[in-house]
Amino acid sequence: MKLKNLVEAQQLDVDTIFLLFSMADKFKKSVKKPLTKKILTTLFYEPSTRTRLSFESAMLRLGGNVISTENAKEFSSAVKGESLEDTIRVVSKYTDIIILRHYTGGSAEIAASVSTIPVINAGDGMEQHPTQALLDIYTIWNEIGRLNNIKIAMVGDLRYGRTVRSLCYLLGKFEGIEIIFISPKHLSIKDDIKDYLKRHKVVFREEDELGNVLPEADIIYMTRIQKERMTEAEYEKAKGVYRITQDNLNLIKPNARVLHPLPHTEEINLPIQVEQSDKRIAYFRQVENGLYIRMALIYHLLE
């Protein structure tokens, strides 16, 4: 299936996922700069390090050019009251592809509906982050060699974390998936995701003890508590409840992997030398995979 935009993870079918994996593998080995004279715009209304820089690096490595606004909420005509629709209609006259991050859920869909060029959702409020989910499953594929018959523990802020939502949507396309949700009760996964998993016959359960789950999981997907999306009381109640430390690292299977969309804060407390030497710690390899999978997606949309 040829994509025109990427707004939500549900758009990706299994064939397209593996097509993008194959392209990413090729870009890991060599790049012939096929997108010279093309321009990518990162239009970010929320802060970002990995997502914005990886998209910009991806385009530059493909031979294209980049124009960017790092904080469009303050340094764009949004300050003057311009609507997102008008901003997209204007920006699409200057560039070939738009990477949009916005603080409001559904913004990427709105942008895609008025844009004359491809739009990629780089995170919209508490809804989705489809390219993060895509690089997550690419990392799982690279690390353990399969996407079927996986038991994955998703840990932390499951209510406000958009990466977990998008990852669930993608995992629902594969067989033999079992998900264990581990979170404070006030940050549990929302019912719409549970309904989606039920419709796609994905086995899931909810637990509250991380130590009981670590020995059985193939993938431990840690997430930070989204302090910026909750009250101070909610944050204090959840801060530091679930953590990976040297004390419980030994509970994780030798061939299991720890993933994290990053940045990580108090939920992971490991020495740098452990992060660098223990093969189970995969989140910095996960970051690198994001570069190649975003190269593949940009190329797919523009060529």
Side-chain angles (χ1 to χ4, degrees):
M1 179 182 68
K2 175 68 174 177
L3 296 172
K4 294 182 179 179
N5 304 282
L6 183 58
V7 171
E8 58 183 15
Q10 297 95 305
Q11 291 174 250
L12 295 162
D13 59 31
V14 172
D15 287 343
T16 305
I17 288 169
F18 280 107
L19 172 65
L20 292 170
F21 284 8
S22 177
M23 293 168 63
D25 288 344
K26 291 177 182 177
F27 288 137
K28 274 186 180 181
K29 297 173 182 176
S30 66
V31 183
K32 296 181 180 179
K33 299 189 181 302
L35 296 183
T36 57
K37 299 184 180 179
K38 297 288 187 180
I39 300 173
L40 174 145
T41 295
T42 47
L43 186 61
F44 276 49
Y45 290 79
E46 281 189 326
S48 172
T49 302
R50 280 151 296 280
T51 304
R52 184 174 66 86
L53 293 182
S54 67
F55 268 116
E56 294 178 0
S57 178
M59 188 59 166
L60 293 171
R61 286 169 183 259
L62 290 166
N65 301 287
V66 173
I67 55 177
S68 176
T69 174
E70 184 176 357
N71 188 355
K73 188 175 182 179
E74 295 183 18
F75 299 107
S76 78
S77 291
V79 175
K80 304 173 186 176
E82 183 174 59
S83 68
L84 176 63
E85 292 94 328
D86 281 0
T87 297
I88 296 297
R89 282 184 283 213
V90 169
V91 173
S92 64
K93 307 300 181 186
Y94 304 149
T95 188
D96 297 292
I97 185 168
I98 296 171
I99 317 300
L100 176 68
R101 171 168 286 191
H102 202 280
Y103 48 84
T104 303
S107 296
E109 184 175 3
I110 291 170
S113 72
V114 299
S115 179
T116 56
I117 61 173
V119 173
I120 297 177
N121 180 1
D124 61 336
M126 295 179 287
E127 290 302 313
Q128 287 223 33
H129 196 345
T131 66
Q132 179 66 51
L134 188 58
L135 75 90
D136 291 341
I137 64 167
Y138 181 57
T139 301
I140 294 170
W141 173 257
N142 275 269
E143 294 288 331
I144 67 172
R146 67 185 192 277
L147 290 174
N148 294 319
N149 303 311
I150 292 172
K151 184 177 291 189
I152 178 168
M154 296 188 178
V155 186
D157 182 354
L158 309 183
R159 175 163 293 269
Y160 297 115
R162 58 195 171 201
T163 65
V164 167
R165 294 176 59 82
S166 291
L167 183 54
C168 284
Y169 285 128
L170 285 193
L171 289 172
K173 299 176 183 295
F174 297 93
E175 297 179 356
I177 300 295
E178 182 177 346
I179 302 175
I180 308 167
F181 295 117
I182 307 166
S183 70
K185 293 191 183 304
H186 66 294
L187 298 180
S188 61
I189 196 74
K190 291 183 178 179
D191 287 341
D192 64 325
I193 295 297
K194 294 179 184 178
D195 292 341
Y196 173 86
L197 295 175
K198 289 174 184 176
R199 291 196 305 272
H200 289 79
K201 298 180 172 55
V202 176
V203 175
F204 67 88
R205 70 181 198 265
E206 295 179 89
E207 298 279 358
D208 54 18
E209 290 292 335
L210 178 60
N212 293 341
V213 173
L214 290 179
E216 62 177 296
D218 301 305
I219 300 293
I220 299 97
Y221 191 88
M222 300 296 295
T223 66
R224 72 180 177 90
I225 305 301
Q226 306 269 310
K227 183 178 182 179
E228 67 275 21
R229 304 192 192 281
M230 62 185 71
T231 66
E232 187 65 28
E234 284 182 305
Y235 175 70
E236 290 299 324
K237 189 177 178 181
K239 182 178 68 173
V241 173
Y242 298 111
R243 305 172 76 207
I244 297 291
T245 68
Q246 284 193 284
D247 291 335
N248 61 12
L249 185 62
N250 65 337
L251 298 176
I252 298 173
K253 297 188 296 186
N255 293 323
R257 295 292 185 269
V258 179
L259 272 61
H260 195 304
L262 299 181
H264 75 64
T265 53
E266 71 278 346
E267 71 280 356
I268 293 181
N269 184 18
L270 295 172
I272 291 176
Q273 60 268 30
V274 172
E275 290 186 317
Q276 291 178 328
S277 62
D278 193 317
K279 69 176 184 178
R280 295 172 295 178
I281 306 304
Y283 36 81
F284 288 108
R285 297 191 295 276
Q286 185 181 354
V287 166
E288 183 178 3
N289 287 332
L291 171 63
Y292 301 114
I293 207 72
R294 286 171 174 139
M295 289 175 72
L297 181 60
I298 292 166
Y299 182 77
H300 175 76
L301 288 170
L302 292 182
E303 289 294 313

